[in-house]
């Protein structure tokens, strides 16, 4: 692995940053970790995708869209992989009770929206939550990782690449 590559370096640093920030939230308050850290992780991903892309642009003479996209997306993939592995280990080996806390948070959110959803909608949603297996298995970790590559991963990388790409060189 070439740690000199801005994509790899920023992907690793971004992934470790997401893990450390999430771990701090987890230690301070598990409910806040489950409710809020995902948003912070997205912000961390954006910061490091932009940072990787900007650093790569400084290293080359012409930074086309393809190179910009590849750089940003690779940084995202690496950072995301770190976080998914962290969350898998946390929820399966360190604190398997996270599943029940997630369920409680989901139930609470549905109950708060009951006036909008109506009685029947609320009951159906609550039954769905109660019957749903929320365990973060290896399969769901892989699906989460793969789905995250599409949204928000490739979306972030496309936006950043379109901002940082150089215009076509003069012929």
């Amino acid at each position: 692995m070439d740690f000199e590559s801005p994509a790899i370096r920023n992907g690793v640093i971004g992934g470790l940053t997401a893990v450390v920030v999430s771990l701090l939230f987890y230690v301070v308050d598990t409910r806040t970790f489950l409710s809020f850290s995902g948003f912070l992780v997205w912000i961390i991903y954006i910061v490091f995708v932009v940072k990787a892309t900007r650093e790569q642009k400084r290293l080359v003479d012409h930074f086309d869209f393809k190179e910009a996209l590849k750089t940003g997306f690779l940084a995202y993939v690496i950072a995301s992989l770190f976080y998914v592995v962290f969350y898998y280990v946390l929820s399966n080996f360190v604190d398997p009770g996270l599943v029940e806390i997630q369920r409680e948070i989901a139930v609470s959110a549905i109950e708060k929206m009951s006036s909008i959803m109506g009685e029947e909608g609320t009951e159906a949603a609550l039954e769905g939550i109660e019957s749903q297996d929320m365990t973060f298995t290896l399969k769901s970790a892989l699906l989460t990782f793969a789905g995250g590559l599409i949204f928000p991963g490739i979306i972030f990388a496309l936006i950043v690449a379109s901002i940082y790409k150089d215009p076509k060189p003069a012929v």
Side-chain angles (χ1 to χ4, degrees):
M1 191 180 290
D2 181 14
F3 207 67
E4 294 301 313
S5 161
I8 293 173
R9 183 179 53 254
N10 283 289
V12 169
I13 295 169
L16 291 173
T17 302
V19 167
V20 168
V21 167
S22 295
L23 197 54
L24 289 172
F25 269 90
Y26 170 77
V27 169
V28 171
D29 181 43
T30 305
R31 288 183 181 278
T32 302
F33 161 72
L34 290 170
S35 301
F36 187 66
S37 73
F39 176 71
L40 265 176
V41 167
W42 279 24
I43 291 173
I44 291 167
Y45 289 165
I46 292 170
V47 166
F48 283 93
V49 165
V50 168
K51 193 170 182 303
T53 306
R54 188 177 329 136
E55 287 177 15
Q56 184 65 33
K57 181 175 183 165
R58 287 188 203 130
L59 296 176
V60 296
D61 292 331
H62 180 73
F63 198 46
D64 65 8
F65 181 79
K66 181 179 175 184
E67 182 69 21
L69 179 61
K70 186 172 80 170
T71 301
F73 189 61
L74 181 57
Y76 175 85
V77 168
I78 293 168
S80 180
L81 185 60
F82 269 82
Y83 187 79
V84 168
V85 169
F86 157 74
Y87 191 77
Y88 177 79
V89 170
L90 180 67
S91 65
N92 284 284
F93 304 107
V94 177
D95 189 355
L98 283 176
V99 172
E100 286 311 311
I101 297 170
Q102 281 180 302
R103 190 178 314 281
E104 291 170 12
I105 291 169
V107 166
S108 176
I110 290 169
E111 288 172 346
K112 288 178 183 174
M113 296 186 331
S114 64
S115 62
I116 298 169
M117 298 171 61
E119 190 174 325
E120 285 181 24
T122 301
E123 286 180 31
L126 289 173
E127 287 174 15
I129 292 293
E130 293 300 325
S131 66
Q132 184 178 4
D133 181 12
M134 298 177 89
T135 308
F136 199 61
T137 63
L138 186 56
K139 179 182 177 182
S140 60
L142 291 172
L143 289 172
T144 297
F145 177 71
L149 295 181
I150 297 165
F151 182 79
I154 196 71
I155 305 300
F156 288 163
L158 284 166
I159 293 168
V160 172
S162 67
I163 293 169
Y164 282 94
K165 71 175 174 56
D166 287 335
K168 291 189 177 193
V171 180

